[in-house]
Amino acid sequence: MASTGITTREELAFRKGVVNGKQLTAQDREQMLKPFLPPPPPPPLETTSLKSPKRQILSQRTTAAPKLNLTPVRTFLHIILHVIISVLFSIFFRFRRSWRLFSYKVRGVLRHHHHTPEWIVNDVKNVEQLPKHISVVLEHRDDDEDQGNAGLEGLVQDACEIAAWTASAGIPLLSIYERTGVLKNYVPQLHAAIQKNLESYFGTRRRPTLTVKAPHTISYSPPGTPSSEPTENGASTSRPHLTVLLLSEHDGRATLVDLTVTLASMAQKSDIDPKQIDIALINAELSDYVSSEPDLLVLFGPRVQLMGYPPWQLRLTEIFHLPDNKGVNYLVFRKALGTFGKAEFRVGK
Amino acid sequence: MASIHKHGISRWIAYSPPVAWTVRQLRELLIGALRQGPMPQHVAFVMDGNRRFARSHHIETVEGHNMGFEALARILEVCYKAGVKVVTIYAFSIENFKRSKHEVDALMELAKLKLVQLAEHGALLDRYGASIRILGNRELVKPDVIEAIDRAVSITAHNNRAILNVCFPYTSRDEITTAIKSTVEQYSTPLASLQTPSKRTFSESHITQQIRKQMLEEDTDGSSAPQESRSASPSSLKDAKSVEGGRSSSTTTAINSSDKDESHTTAPSYPDPESITAETLDEHMLTAGAPPLDLLVRTSGVDRLSDFMLWQCHENTSIVILKCLWPEFDLWQFLPVLVEWQWQKKKSQEQQKSRALSKAE
């Protein structure tokens, strides 16, 4: 390929270790490599007078001098080129972002869910497989530069919408990651809010039952949750159930540290042998106390940054984001499910 | 490289010395230009797509892996010349042992061959100032490969300008588990320096004996109702147990007292487990000492971490998924990624500055 800038002879030598039908020895190889090498560790400061860059390069080539000697001309050239590249790409990135945001808006309007579960069901109808556990990352914003969903209210609003979409798509488990963990302080309120939103989607009769919980706490499903209610027409047993799990930064590294502390103090009391610690044990502890491995992680941010998401759980999770997207919207959710449906899972193969 | 299937003339032009030379100069120039901006200090690659590349180009799987190695060599050159300090590559997953024996063996051979070749050129490697580290579970590797690994590692160990971490055979869960295990081991070995040889004046066994005596006396006083002891179940049960323990130990007094004395001297000399922090675990990870992971690049369009760098890349790492297959990966694919990273870095720095300013006001 032209882009690598090596000749056929060199390529063959690299690949097969053969030049003109002769096997290369270690010395031969070093000889061939010489012109490509950077200068020796303490770079000799060559005080070349200011020639024209072209001639300088030519002289370099003929003498096979080390290449990365940063003469002023070269440095100047690099800076100029850097500025040019930065400016060009910056313009490109900005245009691309505007275009993407525009197209997301248009598509979002065209394929809106209209607060109707049937539309969402229709959207996921053609998806081959649905995740059993979906996870989303929400951000606590101080200012509302976009759609007026800042602060706690914005978070609750986002959580309610996502919960409704998840329930409509028929996914039983939703975990909501928010770095600060502020939602964990308002579990009953959140439960009420999600319940209300589910009602607005499904109506009182068909509303799925709901449990909201956070790690290390008792799950919150208030009395009168219809799962325990006697059925009126026998149909309510078939009502789907949605579990919402609230995660925060604390459930990531800090929890792994907690586990290590516990194991260490157990080992000090000789309750456990360090040799007994293995992947299965840690996995069992973490999935019981924190969360199981989500099948799909949806990011609503502009790029993939995990921001302290529990590391252990992310092993094979499909991570979805729409580049340059801003804020929670249905388009991201729908596309995430669509992409997940197509993904093939090959562990190590 | 697609060169195998290129037409004669374009191939001839591409490989003619002047063209090759120009391209090389252009590459150097671009890398130099990249250097002028902020560079990620630690980059990780998931080299995915060798097999798919082989399939789509109708070559053998093993040949695909060879091509992948060439791509790696190219990209390493770009990284180190551009000023990246640490490159971590996912060469072989523990899960990969599930593949066909033929392929696993071929991969092992490839690794061994390249490491042996590398070890032959110790002096040349010094010019790059790069040291190699193999991260992974050594127990799973054959001894001959281990030997090659150890030689290559020891030959480059003194270099400190750049580090190449080869994850082989590695999974992140295995790494985290090993880190936890070694932390626990460290915290459960008594500190030699803090050991206090002096014995305490009071012995526990003696105290329990005293209590037992007192309780026996109470019992012989008799009137304390047996129901009462039942109702106050948890505490009294414990008492009963400890007394039982005391009784059984009293039969073997000599051994037991010496046991207890030992535990007296060693128990306080453990380091406090509460002092374990995320940093402690960090130091036990295989990437200990490396700067935080700035950029993770995965090829062939798979949006998963696949058990790679889970612990390391959960904070502010930019994760980039590229559509191209690994053997096709080169400067031309990597350049936009790096430029975008630089752009975002500058932007976030500006944001932080403005935020700091607004807070100050």
Side-chain angles (χ1 to χ4, degrees):
Chain A
M1 199 186 282
S3 58
T4 50
I6 53 168
T7 58
T8 328
R9 180 170 163 271
E10 286 153 356
E11 189 186 278
L12 261 180
F14 181 76
R15 230 172 252 172
K16 302 257 168 13
V18 177
V19 168
N20 304 333
K22 241 175 45 192
Q23 198 73 28
L24 287 171
T25 62
Q27 283 80 26
D28 293 339
R29 281 203 293 266
E30 293 201 0
Q31 216 53 51
M32 278 191 82
L33 269 172
K34 276 274 159 61
F36 299 94
L37 285 175
L45 287 168
E46 285 177 48
T47 46
T48 26
S49 55
L50 285 172
K51 299 173 194 168
S52 77
K54 203 178 165 192
R55 275 194 55 193
Q56 194 192 337
I57 290 164
L58 278 175
S59 71
Q60 263 187 16
R61 184 196 166 205
T62 46
T63 57
K67 290 252 249 348
L68 261 182
N69 51 353
L70 295 169
T71 55
V73 174
R74 221 150 222 268
T75 315
F76 182 68
L77 212 68
H78 286 161
I79 292 173
I80 294 278
L81 199 61
H82 176 69
V83 171
I84 293 172
I85 291 176
S86 307
V87 169
L88 284 181
F89 269 94
S90 177
I91 295 168
F92 170 64
F93 290 144
R94 275 164 213 275
F95 265 102
R96 192 179 60 179
R97 190 176 59 186
S98 316
W99 166 247
R100 276 173 177 167
L101 284 175
F102 171 72
S103 82
Y104 296 158
K105 271 265 154 21
V106 171
R107 278 192 280 173
V109 170
L110 287 180
R111 304 280 304 266
H112 196 258
H113 51 75
H114 303 290
H115 291 257
T116 323
E118 281 74 24
W119 282 71
I120 297 172
V121 168
N122 199 36
D123 278 336
V124 299
K125 199 174 57 189
N126 297 326
V127 170
E128 282 170 33
Q129 53 173 351
L130 276 175
K132 290 189 183 63
H133 177 183
I134 189 170
S135 191
V136 294
V137 175
L138 296 184
E139 252 182 292
H140 185 275
R141 284 178 297 267
D142 297 326
D143 51 341
D144 53 346
E145 47 182 82
D146 4 84
Q147 299 105 8
N149 45 6
L152 183 63
E153 262 176 59
L155 270 183
V156 171
Q157 201 182 312
D158 286 346
C160 288
E161 282 297 297
I162 294 166
W165 302 335
T166 311
S168 306
I171 299 163
L173 179 55
L174 165 74
S175 54
I176 298 177
Y177 175 81
E178 193 274 320
R179 191 167 201 160
T180 58
V182 66
L183 280 176
K184 287 183 182 180
N185 303 329
Y186 300 96
V187 169
Q189 289 89 331
L190 184 66
H191 187 280
I194 295 179
Q195 191 102 305
K196 215 175 139 206
N197 199 43
L198 284 177
E199 248 166 55
S200 85
Y201 268 74
F202 288 88
T204 350
R205 281 280 178 85
R206 295 188 306 135
R207 173 173 54 79
T209 51
L210 174 71
T211 308
V212 178
K213 62 178 181 182
H216 311 295
T217 53
I218 312 154
S219 59
Y220 186 81
S221 31
T225 305
S227 60
S228 56
E229 259 180 21
T231 56
E232 300 148 20
N233 47 9
S236 76
T237 39
S238 63
R239 270 204 211 178
H241 185 83
L242 175 69
T243 307
V244 177
L245 180 66
L246 303 174
L247 299 172
S248 74
E249 193 173 22
H250 180 80
D251 301 310
R253 284 191 178 188
T255 296
L256 276 171
V257 171
D258 279 351
L259 180 62
T260 316
V261 171
T262 315
L263 288 172
S265 54
M266 278 174 81
Q268 290 182 356
K269 285 180 248 153
S270 313
D271 288 344
I272 190 174
D273 184 8
K275 286 189 191 68
Q276 287 173 303
I277 300 170
D278 59 0
I279 294 178
L281 173 74
I282 293 171
N283 196 33
E285 286 298 312
L286 288 178
S287 45
D288 284 356
Y289 283 101
V290 183
S291 149
S292 57
E293 211 177 305
D295 300 313
L296 173 64
L297 176 69
V298 184
L299 305 173
F300 292 98
R303 55 184 178 275
V304 187
Q305 266 184 346
L306 297 173
M307 298 183 294
Y309 194 93
W312 183 269
Q313 280 81 359
L314 277 180
R315 184 174 63 129
L316 295 175
T317 304
E318 180 93 12
I319 300 169
F320 183 86
H321 83 297
L322 271 188
D324 289 330
N325 175 64
K326 243 183 185 179
V328 174
N329 60 55
Y330 177 63
L331 179 76
V332 182
F333 186 82
R334 182 169 61 79
K335 291 208 78 143
L337 288 183
T339 317
F340 179 83
K342 277 181 236 133
E344 43 174 341
F345 281 82
R346 298 162 294 137
V347 180
K349 292 197 172 173
Chain B
M1 270 178 285
S3 54
I4 315 171
H5 302 283
K6 260 192 186 166
H7 294 297
I9 292 178
S10 67
R11 188 186 148 84
W12 184 77
I13 291 174
Y15 280 94
S16 64
V19 174
W21 177 82
T22 319
V23 170
R24 207 156 66 217
Q25 290 304 316
L26 188 64
R27 286 171 72 98
E28 294 289 333
L29 215 60
L30 284 172
I31 293 170
L34 274 177
R35 257 186 102 91
Q36 301 301 318
M39 279 303 290
Q41 292 302 293
H42 187 173
V43 183
F45 294 100
V46 181
M47 308 191 289
D48 197 5
N50 290 342
R51 307 199 315 163
R52 221 182 301 168
F53 179 85
R55 232 176 293 142
S56 64
H57 287 256
H58 305 291
I59 53 177
E60 262 200 68
T61 319
V62 178
E63 200 54 33
H65 288 301
N66 269 321
M67 296 281 201
F69 179 80
E70 285 172 29
L72 173 66
R74 291 198 299 267
I75 218 68
L76 281 182
E77 193 193 4
V78 173
C79 282
Y80 290 134
K81 280 187 175 164
V84 177
K85 287 275 179 311
V86 183
V87 175
T88 304
I89 55 162
Y90 202 3
F92 196 84
S93 161
I94 293 176
E95 304 286 345
N96 289 158
F97 282 112
K98 286 183 191 165
R99 293 179 181 176
S100 72
K101 190 178 178 303
H102 173 68
E103 195 187 338
V104 171
D105 287 347
L107 273 169
M108 289 290 164
E109 271 308 305
L110 178 68
K112 196 177 132 192
L113 176 75
K114 295 301 173 191
L115 286 169
V116 167
Q117 279 185 359
L118 197 111
E120 285 173 4
H121 304 288
L124 290 191
L125 277 165
D126 290 352
R127 289 224 194 162
Y128 285 95
S131 65
I132 287 197
R133 291 178 194 168
I134 310 285
L135 318 183
N137 197 333
R138 292 167 64 98
E139 289 160 25
L140 300 171
V141 190
K142 283 187 200 153
D144 56 327
V145 184
I146 285 273
E147 201 182 301
I149 288 174
D150 285 342
R151 270 203 63 201
V153 169
S154 68
I155 254 178
T156 59
H158 60 279
N159 292 321
N160 54 9
R161 268 193 296 164
I163 297 171
L164 171 65
N165 287 325
V166 183
C167 296
F168 175 94
Y170 170 95
T171 59
S172 198
R173 284 192 166 185
D174 184 63
E175 180 192 20
I176 296 175
T177 308
T178 315
I180 290 179
K181 202 192 278 184
S182 61
T183 312
V184 168
E185 267 164 13
Q186 184 196 328
Y187 276 77
S188 58
T189 40
L191 290 176
S193 55
L194 284 177
Q195 220 155 26
T196 44
S198 65
K199 286 177 185 173
R200 295 197 182 170
T201 356
F202 300 103
S203 106
E204 262 181 35
S205 54
H206 191 254
I207 294 170
T208 31
Q209 269 178 3
Q210 283 293 335
I211 294 172
R212 191 161 58 92
K213 255 186 212 167
Q214 279 176 10
M215 283 181 80
L216 278 172
E217 274 163 21
E218 271 174 35
D219 262 22
T220 46
D221 283 357
S223 54
S224 63
Q227 302 131 316
E228 204 184 336
S229 69
R230 258 179 224 152
S231 63
S233 56
S235 59
S236 66
L237 264 177
K238 257 186 203 165
D239 280 356
K241 260 186 192 167
S242 70
V243 171
E244 286 237 327
R247 262 177 209 155
S248 64
S249 68
S250 65
T251 54
T252 55
T253 345
I255 305 164
N256 195 274
S257 64
S258 72
D259 261 13
K260 288 247 161 100
D261 285 341
E262 249 179 38
S263 70
H264 270 311
T265 51
T266 50
S269 63
Y270 285 121
D272 181 16
E274 295 297 328
S275 65
I276 298 175
T277 60
E279 284 72 42
T280 323
L281 278 181
D282 233 357
E283 282 157 23
H284 283 89
M285 291 293 157
L286 295 168
T287 52
L293 189 60
D294 290 318
L295 182 65
L296 184 135
V297 179
R298 170 150 203 174
T299 51
S300 86
V302 178
D303 309 296
R304 249 165 289 144
L305 290 176
S306 298
D307 223 336
F308 182 56
M309 296 279 119
L310 298 179
W311 175 267
Q312 288 84 353
C313 79
H314 85 140
E315 275 290 337
N316 295 319
T317 311
S318 297
I319 299 169
V320 179
I321 315 279
L322 295 172
K323 282 273 175 287
C324 74
L325 302 175
W326 178 257
E328 300 160 347
F329 191 57
D330 195 7
L331 177 65
W332 316 110
Q333 283 81 26
F334 194 34
L335 186 81
V337 175
L338 279 177
V339 175
E340 191 165 358
W341 187 87
Q342 289 182 336
W343 186 64
Q344 275 160 5
K345 183 93 184 162
K346 278 181 209 158
K347 238 178 44 171
S348 69
Q349 274 169 353
E350 275 166 26
Q351 272 176 1
Q352 272 175 359
K353 259 185 205 166
S354 65
R355 229 177 262 162
L357 272 176
S358 64
K359 265 185 190 171
E361 281 164 11

